[in-house]
Amino acid sequence: MQDGEGGLSNYVELLVHRALTKSELSSARHHKPHEGVGVSVYFSLLTPIAVIGRTRFVLSSHLNGCIPLDLDSLLPIVGSTVEEVKILLEAFADSGYQFASPAEVEMRLPNHIKPYEYCLSKEPWDRVFHVLFANTD
């Protein structure tokens, strides 16, 4: 979904969702956007850390996108019962990336570190999450 361009230069995003039915695909191809829920994975381009979270997405012939992850949308990694999380952890087990838990990326930054610019997520932007996965314009 995101490739490190357009202001999102510090992470790459992968969206995983259930396969669409033929009618959903047909509708999405004919200017009737399909809206659904899925799981996003953010892979930091700064360090080999990734997070997984729930999101909503839109697909159509001229548009695709999803709601950015934020701290409250992150999913637990250890002991997760979410099937997509289990599949993603297995698929990227040998990738070199460590999947961080919500608690790990919710840690506050030291007081002397301030955000350079705004994020599109909720304030305050003073967590490890915002350094690794800042969603800026």
Side-chain angles (χ1 to χ4, degrees):
M1 295 295 295
Q2 300 293 349
D3 59 5
E5 293 184 9
L8 307 176
S9 59
N10 61 348
Y11 69 92
V12 174
E13 179 181 9
L14 172 70
L15 173 65
V16 178
H17 59 84
R18 69 166 177 77
L20 300 182
T21 65
K22 283 185 178 184
S23 66
E24 289 169 334
L25 276 173
S26 177
S27 176
R29 288 186 185 131
H30 292 94
H31 309 290
K32 297 176 187 168
H34 171 77
E35 296 183 32
V37 293
V39 172
S40 278
V41 184
Y42 283 7
F43 295 94
S44 174
L45 297 175
L46 305 173
T47 188
I49 293 177
V51 292
I52 301 174
R54 287 245 180 249
T55 190
R56 297 193 57 75
F57 67 91
V58 175
L59 295 175
S60 76
S61 58
H62 292 90
L63 168 76
N64 62 21
C66 58
I67 295 174
L69 294 182
D70 208 341
L71 289 169
D72 58 357
S73 60
L74 298 181
L75 293 168
I77 303 302
V78 177
S80 180
T81 58
V82 178
E83 192 62 30
E84 295 94 339
V85 171
K86 295 177 190 176
I87 291 168
L88 288 163
L89 291 175
E90 184 177 321
F92 291 98
D94 296 328
S95 69
Y97 272 85
Q98 173 187 343
F99 285 82
S101 70
E104 291 171 313
V105 294
E106 285 177 357
M107 292 174 36
R108 283 190 182 271
L109 296 170
N111 287 336
H112 66 281
I113 298 177
K114 304 288 182 207
Y116 176 68
E117 61 179 320
Y118 71 92
C119 294
L120 298 177
S121 56
K122 292 180 255 176
E123 289 189 61
W125 308 309
D126 62 349
R127 309 300 170 140
V128 170
F129 177 84
H130 300 107
V131 169
L132 298 177
F133 309 106
N135 194 344
T136 63
D137 251 349

